[in-house]
Amino acid sequence: RWIKFEEKVEDGGERWSAPHVPALPLHSLFQLRTCLQKGTMLLDLDATSFKEIIDKALSEQPEEAELQPALRERLAALLLLQPQHQPTKSLLQLLAELGVSPCRGRKPGCPTRHPPTASSPGSTHAGCPTAQGFCCFFSFFAGKAKGRSEPRTQVSKTPLKEQLRNRFKKKVPPGAEAAHVAVGEVEFLEKPFTAFIRLRHGVSLGSLAEVSLPSRFLFILLGPPRVKAYYEVGRAMATLLTDELFQRVARQAEHREDLMAGIEAFLDELVVLPPGKWDPGARIPPPNHLPAPRRRTAVDPLDQQPHGNGDMTAAGDRASPGHPRSGEELERTGRLFGGLLQDIRRKARWYGSDFSDALHPQCLSAVLYIYLATVTNAITFGGMLGDATANMQGVLESFLGTAFAGFIFCLFSGQPLTILSSTGPVLVFERLLFSFSQDHSLDYLEFRLWIGLWVAFFGVVLVATEASHLVGHFSRFTEEGFCALISLIFIYDSLKKMLSLADAFPINWHYRLDNVTSYSCTCNLRRLFNLILACLTTLQCPPLPCIVSMCDPSSPPTLLLQPPATPAGLSRTQCLDQGGHLLGTSCPYVPDVTLVSFLLFGGTFLFCTALKRFRSSRYFPVGVRKLVSDFAVILAILASCAVDALLGLETPKLLVPSELKPTNPARGWIIFPFGANPWWVCLLSAVPAVLVTILIFMDQQITAVILNRREYKLKKGAGFHLDLLCVSLLMVVTSVTGLPWYVSATVISLAHMDSLRKESATSAPGEHPEFLGIREQRLTGLAVFILMGASVFMAPVLKHIPMPVLYGVFLHMGVTALNSIQLTDRVRLLLMPAKHQPDLAYLRHVPLRRVHLFTAIQLLCLALLWLLKSTVAAIIFPVMV
């Protein structure tokens, strides 16, 4: 059978072979061409049953090939016999049959299956999708019939139960039609009988096919004994009908000559393997990627004519209604806010589907994944902002700002798959601005408020003048450099955070097993005794802690003249709270925590990667593989949290704010524009605001270009002007409330899109699922930021998630984003000998030395950007990109 690729029934008749590329004898194609030239051909036949089709095929024979009435009757009776199919059985069915009949194969005393005959024909099947996803399904009969055959039932007019319950139908795309190829040798025929039939409309032919599908094509070749020739001609016909270009010709042909032209075009593309250079019995595995039909040789002007259901090429699909033309979002209108109005019109018609398209289990996985990534990012940047601004902006402000800004952006933006976050250049600017304010005795938050208002004003001006048109000049060089830098920052920060655990939970590198008796840690309370003596001597007693185990608050105070004995069983916290200190060689070290943290970190990363790749695994049904792959990150986090809980070690946990109050008590939730700074500060703020505007514009738009790449197959279009307007207006709110500023986060947004990839639900055996695009909707982003705002109330649950697990997720996001760009592939080429390099398209057309030169220049620029990022000049790094 063929569904894209050929499958054969293995010896014993119990198992289908692995799908493989069909290899045909060249002579069989020439014989097929002769059969079609001389045989019966019925195009657009109106028939409603298989018997009617056979009767018309036998009655419409050419005069030179016409059969005698008696032979026609015998041939019709033979063709109308019920074929025996080889059903596709589940594992449970095979086990059940094994329990009932343990004898299998060719063991003595057990029945064997003989090769199928025309009186009891076996069947194989084939199918191929066209540009619309239409699929043909073939039934292939091979064998021979003697003059007399055993009495058997005829083809049923209605589908059998076995057809309706056949699991093989799951492999057939929706809307598939069937074609039947019947070949064999018949001893009562003296010359071959050939017929090619195309029905005007798809008709259900009862129990003829293995699964119940409407039929469109039939090919019959029966003749005197020459079984090998007939068998190979039948394989050639089935292979031709699996070819997308020939299938279009067969659908649109009006005369016999049109089919001949299609065969000639097929032969023009044929590649012949020399018989001495390969094993004809070897099965060629299916390739990972197949060439698109539009890249192959044009078949005929027939392909341009509408006929029947018709076909839509990829180019036509791109120009279809509802699919924006490439570059349409960046075309200038020449009117104020013209681009913004076009973005609004373009996105308004999709607004309803932006919510209905989210009703899929995959979106739940994306919400949980991106939520945990966003929480970790908010805590990280919130802590850094707190250190840089004396807690004028801290973790709580980062949480609230992320939740509010992200929710509003996902609700009204042009590309709701974008995730907003604080970024490195913004953090550098905040640190410089705070230092400048401290040095010149200015109120930091009020100064920042005016800068934010100016940035919002400049952003609206850029939207009004359609400045986003400049985004069209960003090249792949720019996109890859920016994406690579942000991805490396994620990888570097996750590793840096893990290495910092060695400071919080130090490792005893000088540990020796032989010195185990010298390792101890005890609580010493003599420091408290020294304070009491100082109090008696100077009569100036500082407040002394009460030792719970040594004094009773209800008893009168007594004078301690002897050094107190250290009570047994005091914990580290109790010892320090009672004024003591720790003594011993093992006190600074916390055994196992750092080691287990690194194991959780690496395990989470490897688990995420392995489960993501599980979709293409050979194990379990495709539905299970897809489900595991969609929830890969969540499963990895749950597994790592379970391991941490079982070990019971005090690894660092995720801590979120539990109270809604500013991190710094000296500030409020509303920042007033006047009062703390001189009046001229509002005018002076326009100068740094220009720099921040350039920073925000470049950071936002480069990320938008990366997210709207053509290879993601987005159908709802982008909204560069609308996104920039939303970011600009959010600057006003976050500046007035003293919350951090936000722009698009490249790596988290790419992870969001990767978690929403759509693939074809059905795929032929041997064919890889087709990437259909991204599940474009708003609900996942909205749910992420709603959960973000509710995190304050979920602190008791979130505190059980170890931070090393989330750092492992960060590492996975950075590596995934880095692997999504071509630069990574070209860096690998630098380390590969030429004979081991993959067959990449650009290597066929560009000299290898020029590829390496281009890669070296990109790496040099990337290194310069990294150095720039590590200095105070990091604020202008988006401009340098």
Side-chain angles (χ1 to χ4, degrees), residues 559-570:
L559 187 63
L560 298 175
L561 298 178
Q562 298 297 327
T566 301
L570 283 183

Side-chain angles (χ1 to χ4, degrees), residues 67 293 408 476 805:
L67 298 175
I408 297 299
R476 176 182 286 271
V805 172

Side-chain angles (χ1 to χ4, degrees), residues 11-252:
D11 292 342
E14 292 292 337
R15 174 182 178 271
W16 287 106
S17 70
H20 54 275
V21 179
L24 301 173
L26 184 61
H27 192 61
S28 65
L29 290 168
F30 296 145
Q31 289 179 321
L32 174 62
R33 181 174 59 182
T34 302
C35 291
L36 292 177
Q37 285 175 339
K38 298 181 179 180
T40 304
M41 183 168 295
L42 303 176
L43 301 178
D44 291 336
L45 177 65
D46 287 316
T48 58
S49 67
F50 186 49
K51 185 178 185 305
E52 185 180 355
I53 294 172
I54 296 301
D55 291 341
K56 291 187 177 181
L58 292 173
S59 62
E60 296 289 339
Q61 283 187 283
E63 294 182 2
E64 62 275 9
E66 188 173 1
L67 298 175
Q68 296 296 326
L71 291 179
R72 286 206 300 266
E73 291 180 4
R74 295 178 65 181
L75 193 58
L78 179 65
L79 291 171
L80 291 174
L81 290 178
Q82 172 63 46
Q84 289 183 345
H85 302 298
Q86 173 61 33
T88 302
K89 300 177 182 179
S90 66
L91 179 62
L92 293 178
Q93 289 174 322
L94 292 175
L95 292 176
E97 292 180 2
L98 186 64
V100 174
S101 177
C103 292
R104 284 287 182 259
R106 300 182 182 273
K107 296 181 181 179
C110 296
T112 60
R113 293 198 177 191
H114 299 285
T117 65
S119 60
S120 59
S123 67
T124 57
H125 305 269
C128 74
T130 66
Q132 283 185 317
F134 183 83
C135 187
C136 290
F137 186 80
F138 304 95
S139 181
F140 177 79
F141 306 93
K144 71 177 183 178
K146 299 181 180 179
R148 293 178 297 177
S149 60
E150 299 177 1
R152 291 184 55 83
T153 59
Q154 290 190 345
V155 173
S156 172
K157 294 183 179 180
T158 58
L160 302 177
K161 292 182 179 180
E162 291 77 8
Q163 291 176 279
L164 300 176
R165 293 182 299 187
N166 198 327
R167 297 173 63 251
F168 187 72
K169 193 170 184 178
K170 295 181 179 180
K171 295 293 184 180
V172 181
E177 290 182 333
H180 306 273
V181 179
V183 301
E185 57 182 46
V186 184
E187 291 186 352
F188 60 79
L189 289 179
E190 297 180 356
K191 52 186 176 183
F193 167 75
T194 307
F196 180 85
I197 305 160
R198 184 185 72 202
L199 301 179
R200 185 180 298 276
H201 304 288
V203 177
S204 176
L205 298 182
S207 59
L208 183 62
E210 181 181 350
V211 295
S212 177
L213 290 173
S215 301
R216 179 62 68 93
F217 294 98
L218 293 96
F219 177 75
I220 302 171
L221 174 58
L222 298 175
R226 287 176 59 194
V227 63
K228 186 66 177 176
Y230 300 145
Y231 180 80
E232 295 299 339
V233 171
R235 291 183 64 242
M237 185 74 252
T239 303
L240 266 176
L241 287 171
T242 60
D243 182 76
E244 297 183 12
L245 298 185
F246 181 82
Q247 194 179 92
R248 297 177 187 176
V249 172
R251 287 186 167 280
Q252 301 172 13

